Amino acid sequence: MSSHSESDFDDVLKTARKTMIEKHLRQREITDPRVLTAIESVPREEFVPQDSRRFAYNDCALPIDCHQTISQPFTVAFMCAAAQLTGNETVLEIGTGSGYGAAVLSQLAREVHTVERIPELASQAAERLQRLGYDNVHVYTDDGTLGLPQAAPFDAIIVTASSEQLPEPYQEQLNEGGRIIIPLGSESTGQRMYRFTLHGGRLSEEILGAFVFVPLIGKFGHPSDRPE
Ligand code: SAH
């Protein structure tokens, strides 16, 4: 490809990003201007496999390595908006995957800690986030159902894989007023996005909508019984 057509392709992607924000986010009730600006600033094409770059701004999940997926932009925007971030927060993301969600969160919070259980994905994401200059993101390889005690407490915990119940360790790693955004449910009942908010030592819960996620696998999630 000549450099001319490469820059044409970059322009096409930029236009596609703007169209996606208009059509799939703004028109579907994502109105938080900070979230829209964050999505607009992150080049999603850098987080998908080379041969999917031209699909980067279709509003859908796409396969990445290790049988995992990069979340749909609408879902990323929805979870970020649900977390009600103002810019000063310390955030924990569970399920780094491609690193895209962490990159978006890095534009909305002060510090982002993100945990991935598959070492290969964690190291690819860490390399990519560093190359793209997302300096306030820290990537860890571990079982994220344990939370991340060494970096706690958090103002928000965002879980990008689904579990049947809320992993126990999260509550004690949350600041007063903190939020946990997590899809809960089983394959038979379907998954709902929950927001838990901590007030006076108690979590209140709200159900925000129906979504589909890959399973959260770990001590306080699904057992690891299927091959990766
Ligand atoms: N936020 C990601 C979406 C990744 S999909 C993105 O923007 O690309 C969910 C990810 O959660 C997968 O990579 C999966 O390996 C990971 N995962 C599943 N169970 C986990 C656990 N217990 N701890 C950490 N990561 C987990």
Side-chain angles (χ1 to χ4, degrees):
M1 219 196 265
S2 75
S3 62
H4 180 66
S5 64
E6 257 172 44
S7 77
D8 282 354
F9 187 50
D10 285 348
D11 285 346
V12 169
L13 287 176
K14 250 187 219 145
T15 308
R17 195 185 310 166
K18 283 215 154 72
T19 309
M20 178 198 76
I21 288 167
E22 211 41 61
K23 246 177 75 185
H24 298 296
L25 304 188
R26 237 189 262 280
Q27 290 183 19
R28 290 182 67 196
E29 290 167 32
I30 305 289
T31 52
D32 182 336
R34 295 185 73 245
V35 171
L36 294 169
T37 305
I39 297 267
E40 184 155 6
S41 76
V42 177
R44 191 168 183 256
E45 66 274 17
E46 298 290 339
F47 294 83
V48 302
Q50 187 68 28
D51 57 3
S52 313
R53 283 170 73 90
R54 69 204 144 110
F55 305 124
Y57 296 105
N58 291 6
D59 187 36
C60 55
L62 291 168
I64 56 174
D65 286 350
C66 308
H67 306 290
Q68 301 302 319
T69 54
I70 176 173
S71 301
Q72 185 184 352
F74 173 75
T75 306
V76 175
F78 186 93
M79 295 182 87
C80 287
Q84 299 166 320
L85 302 170
T86 61
N88 296 318
E89 295 85 357
T90 302
V91 174
L92 174 64
E93 181 196 43
I94 306 300
T96 313
S98 67
Y100 176 69
V104 175
L105 284 168
S106 80
Q107 305 301 291
L108 295 167
R110 189 168 48 79
E111 214 71 51
V112 179
H113 300 272
T114 179
V115 183
E116 171 56 54
R117 64 180 282 272
I118 302 176
E120 192 181 331
L121 289 180
S123 64
Q124 284 175 10
E127 181 277 320
R128 176 180 289 140
L129 288 160
Q130 194 187 24
R131 173 167 54 79
L132 296 171
Y134 295 104
D135 298 332
N136 60 340
V137 180
H138 313 277
V139 182
Y140 306 77
T141 306
D142 213 333
D143 173 5
T145 68
L146 305 171
L148 190 66
Q150 66 267 41
F154 305 103
D155 302 297
I157 300 177
I158 295 175
V159 186
T160 71
S162 76
S163 177
E164 297 211 359
Q165 63 265 317
L166 182 69
E168 260 169 53
Y170 293 169
Q171 179 168 345
E172 65 185 25
Q173 296 180 29
L174 206 58
N175 277 324
E176 173 67 13
R179 282 84 59 201
I180 303 171
I181 314 298
I182 182 170
L184 295 180
S186 61
E187 272 170 39
S188 56
T189 62
Q191 300 159 7
R192 302 268 179 282
M193 190 74 75
Y194 281 72
R195 174 169 53 206
F196 294 91
T197 308
L198 186 66
H199 282 300
R202 286 200 49 204
L203 286 177
S204 62
E205 69 176 58
E206 296 158 88
I207 299 180
L208 306 177
F211 288 84
V212 179
F213 279 85
V214 298
L216 181 71
I217 297 170
K219 185 170 176 207
F220 295 95
H222 293 276
S224 171
D225 59 359
R226 46 189 114 184
E228 295 307 340

